[in-house]
Amino acid sequence: MRRVFPSLSILAALAMAGVSTTAFAIERDGWRLLGVPGVKESAIGWQDDDTMEVISDSSVAFYYREVMPETQTLSWRWRVMDAGVQTDLRTPGEDDRPVALHLWFPKDDESGSLFGWAASLLGYPPVGRAITYVWGGTEPRGTAFINPHLADSQGMIIVLRTTAASEDGWAEETVDFAADYERYFGGPSPKPSHIAISGDSDDLGGLRSARISDLRFGDPDQEQ
């Protein structure tokens, strides 16, 4: 994957003291496709049943939008149909993966722009740090490491499923992104400002495809 990057609306309500939080689905409207200059774009979009499809054929792209969640968890379902060859997620140029979900956090005094000095000129959002949850590679679930594409330890990659797990069909995920942020960046988590889905097969080539559904902030078990 080459270095680039990506942005939801008001989606969730936080529980006040003693009141449980309801899970809110992320809206279908407001998403934008962000490609990498000079590289074929992956095809990412919605199916009729509110399932997002990600198809990468020697290509890469992000599908993103702004968010303003009031919960600290994010849940979704996803599956991989075409996993492609095994890859090394730690090595730029060899880190293709069928699908990844990214959360971007606002820039602060200690973090420069995630997209570099030309971010505003290119229309990229003002993002300072990122957590990427990946389906791909060979390392076991829960493995976490610094994103090799980002400067100054601004990003972490967390493996949720390996490439081999594509044989398992649909999988459900719930992540506590606030806890992950504090664990890996060493301070209280701000609210994420953007979410993105990416498909990536531009380095080693070939076809990779995946689907993702039921994206929502909050625990689905709390949904009313």
Side-chain angles (χ1 to χ4, degrees), residues 5-210:
F5 323 72
S7 219
L8 258 181
S9 43
I10 299 176
L11 305 171
L14 176 64
M16 302 305 288
V19 180
S20 64
T21 301
T22 299
F24 282 81
I26 296 174
E27 298 169 354
R28 180 168 173 163
D29 296 333
W31 292 77
R32 301 175 61 189
L33 188 68
L34 176 65
V36 179
V39 182
K40 178 182 175 182
E41 292 182 353
S42 298
I44 310 176
W46 293 95
Q47 297 185 311
D48 292 339
D49 62 352
D50 286 339
T51 295
M52 191 183 297
E53 188 166 56
V54 182
I55 301 175
S56 301
D57 187 0
S58 301
S59 60
V60 64
F62 297 84
Y63 199 47
Y64 73 100
R65 59 165 296 166
E66 293 183 46
V67 289
M68 193 180 295
E70 297 292 346
T71 66
Q72 67 178 49
T73 60
L74 177 65
S75 300
W76 69 93
R77 298 189 308 123
W78 56 354
R79 67 169 301 184
V80 168
M81 291 83 71
D82 298 291
V85 299
Q86 300 281 14
T87 61
D88 179 2
L89 298 179
R90 296 176 185 261
T91 303
E94 300 180 15
D95 59 339
D96 291 347
R97 62 273 184 119
V99 62
L101 184 149
H102 315 260
L103 288 174
W104 282 268
F105 297 85
K107 196 165 75 69
D108 58 30
D109 292 339
E110 296 181 359
S111 61
S113 172
L114 196 70
F115 309 111
W117 67 271
S120 60
L121 296 177
L122 297 173
Y124 295 155
V127 174
R129 291 191 173 95
I131 297 176
T132 297
Y133 298 99
V134 175
W135 187 321
T138 60
E139 298 187 71
R141 180 179 178 88
T143 300
F145 49 91
I146 294 173
N147 189 323
H149 293 276
L150 301 181
D152 301 323
S153 302
Q154 289 180 292
M156 291 297 299
I157 292 176
I158 301 175
V159 178
L160 295 185
R161 308 277 165 176
T162 68
T163 300
S166 61
E167 300 173 358
D168 298 337
W170 284 96
E172 298 183 2
E173 311 287 3
T174 297
V175 297
D176 186 334
F177 57 82
D180 287 337
Y181 185 100
E182 185 169 0
R183 180 181 302 115
Y184 297 117
F185 296 121
S189 173
K191 298 175 184 178
S193 57
H194 303 81
I195 189 171
I197 309 299
S198 68
D200 182 359
S201 68
D202 66 317
D203 292 318
L204 303 180
L207 176 68
R208 300 172 189 269
S209 64

